[in-house]
Amino acid sequence: MTPSPHRLPGELFDAIAAGGGGAEAMRLLARAEHSRRLACLYAIRTAAREAGGAVAQRVQSAWELLETVHRADPDAARAVLTHPAAGPALVGLLAHLTRRPGGADAPVHLLTALAAAAAVRARVPARARWPLAGPGPWVPLPSLGRAHFPGARSGDHVELRVGSEGRASIAVPDAPVPQAPVPVAGDPYRGGGGDRWRGARLLAAFDTGAALALDSLDPPSFPAAAGRAAHPDADEAHRWAARAKAACALLRADHPQAYAELAAGPWLLVPLRAPARGIVSGSSAETFGSMALSLPPSGTVLAVTMAHEMQHNKFAALLHLFDLFEEGPQGRQERYYAPWRPDPRPLLGLFHGAYAHLAVAQFWGRRGRRNRTRHCGPSRTPASPAGAPGPGRRRP
């Protein structure tokens, strides 16, 4: 197979540079991010082969399972590899294999879990086994959810089975407290394991087929949130849902471009603990389609926050395609002050902040114009003198 390049038309690049791009930009950037994950996967396989031994065998097993899934159901393989959690998993594994010759202690379990999740989604008969790495008694299955095994410890082995009829279950056979396997559904919003299974909460389903979900169950979806992640109870989850509904309605009515980018998803919201004042939000370069934030006080604040974080996602994906600027020599990076922060930032941070705040300015500017129109009501526009900008015309 001969790889084909991703091409970004000049008009679309200009639209993205102006802060927009709409659904077309999001879809193109999502395809590019998928290609980047595939390239990373291939590099992992190459590095593991060079390392040899058990690492090479485990990586090859995961590779072969992903190949099987891709042949049977390409959409299932894509859904897992484009999930926000896959980015840090793949990049982290590749970095480990590259920096540590021989692949000692390489976190291959991250790749095995991705392949296992893809098999569940595709209902492909499979068996996979990997060590539990995370703290606590929860076993994550990327993009689907996590299963609860009381007493399970880091290092215990997880076993996933998908039968010939497509039914899947996950177990920890060597846990100190014996537990029955937990059934796993291929739909992340259906559940499947009763009280012992937790999946993401669906906040909105768009007519494009994309979803907006709330997920505090898969920490790799935003690694920087470690130690700050929130786990909403039922009441708080309802508040998230109500504010997401209001935010989506506001964007659809008054901010069609931002709404189109949201509906081109899927998008994952990772809840964070609220700070003492205001809210906090963030994005990561390797988790395209994900944004972390504390519960906003209203649908309006959630809407502008999502517009802000979608910009960070777009800009990070664009930087994976183009070298937009050059930083100074290592260790001598210049730093710059920005109006929205008290501390000087490197050029990358300055660019990110400026681009994200462009969306915020556009949001409030459009909202202000809408409010003035609603308050003032319709009015007659006087005839324009020749050469002056009239209705539907702009000065160059």
Side-chain angles (χ1 to χ4, degrees):
M1 182 178 67
T2 302
S4 58
H6 290 276
R7 301 189 184 279
L8 183 61
E11 298 82 359
L12 185 56
F13 186 92
D14 289 345
I16 295 173
E24 184 183 3
M26 281 301 186
R27 287 193 292 264
L28 187 149
L29 293 173
R31 290 195 300 271
E33 287 294 292
H34 179 227
S35 294
R36 189 170 186 270
R37 306 265 175 96
L38 292 175
C40 189
L41 184 59
Y42 184 83
I44 287 170
R45 186 194 189 199
T46 301
R49 283 180 168 179
E50 293 174 356
V55 168
Q57 293 174 4
R58 294 198 300 271
V59 168
Q60 183 63 24
S61 294
W63 173 279
E64 290 174 356
L65 181 52
L66 281 169
E67 273 191 321
T68 300
V69 171
H70 185 266
R71 286 194 297 268
D73 187 346
D75 289 340
R78 178 188 291 268
V80 172
L81 291 177
T82 57
H83 188 268
L90 294 173
V91 171
L93 176 54
L94 179 59
H96 189 103
L97 290 170
T98 302
R99 295 169 186 167
R100 301 187 65 173
D105 302 321
V108 181
H109 65 277
L110 299 173
L111 179 58
T112 306
L114 290 171
V120 173
R121 282 178 172 270
R123 299 171 62 86
V124 168
R127 294 183 66 176
R129 181 179 171 91
W130 67 94
L132 178 61
W138 291 94
V139 178
L141 202 56
S143 83
L144 292 174
R146 62 179 181 170
H148 189 220
F149 290 92
R153 304 155 301 182
S154 179
D156 289 343
H157 277 85
V158 179
E159 286 189 356
L160 179 122
R161 298 189 182 193
V162 185
S164 57
E165 74 291 344
R167 293 182 181 176
S169 63
I170 192 167
V172 182
D174 52 354
V177 180
Q179 294 286 327
V182 175
V184 181
D187 182 339
Y189 311 117
R190 274 184 50 203
D195 292 340
R196 294 176 57 203
W197 178 259
R198 295 289 184 274
R201 181 186 180 93
L202 182 64
L203 297 177
F206 303 103
D207 54 10
T208 57
L212 176 67
L214 182 72
D215 187 4
S216 63
L217 309 175
D218 195 354
S221 295
F222 195 78
R228 293 186 293 157
H231 300 282
D233 57 21
D235 288 342
E236 189 169 359
H238 283 302
R239 290 196 289 274
W240 274 102
R243 285 162 203 181
K245 182 178 179 180
C248 290
L250 172 61
L251 290 175
R252 184 169 191 169
D254 293 348
H255 308 273
Q257 182 171 262
Y259 179 80
E261 294 177 354
L262 187 67
W267 288 95
L268 194 65
L269 305 185
V270 178
L272 301 178
R273 291 199 303 268
R277 295 180 59 187
I279 69 167
V280 62
S281 69
S283 299
S284 170
E286 298 300 342
T287 59
F288 183 82
S290 171
M291 54 185 89
L293 66 163
S294 56
L295 178 65
S298 67
T300 300
V301 176
L302 177 55
V304 70
T305 302
M306 290 194 295
H308 174 102
E309 297 302 339
M310 283 193 292
Q311 293 291 93
H312 282 304
N313 274 258
K314 280 194 295 185
F315 193 64
L318 199 65
L319 286 173
H320 288 159
L321 291 174
F322 302 100
D323 294 324
L324 297 180
F325 55 87
E326 292 184 3
E327 298 197 61
Q330 189 66 25
R332 288 175 27 200
Q333 294 181 357
E334 292 189 56
R335 294 182 175 269
Y336 307 86
Y337 282 97
W340 53 87
R341 288 180 68 117
D343 54 324
R345 314 215 59 206
L347 196 57
L348 175 62
L350 188 70
F351 267 60
H352 257 292
Y355 191 66
H357 280 82
L358 175 61
V360 174
Q362 290 172 335
F363 180 95
W364 291 118
R366 188 176 183 87
R367 187 163 176 82
R369 290 192 297 273
R370 288 276 185 175
N371 287 340
R372 285 195 296 272
T373 300
R374 288 167 181 156
H375 292 160
C376 296
S379 61
R380 295 176 60 86
T381 303
S384 302
R393 298 166 61 186
R394 298 183 301 169
R395 286 193 191 276

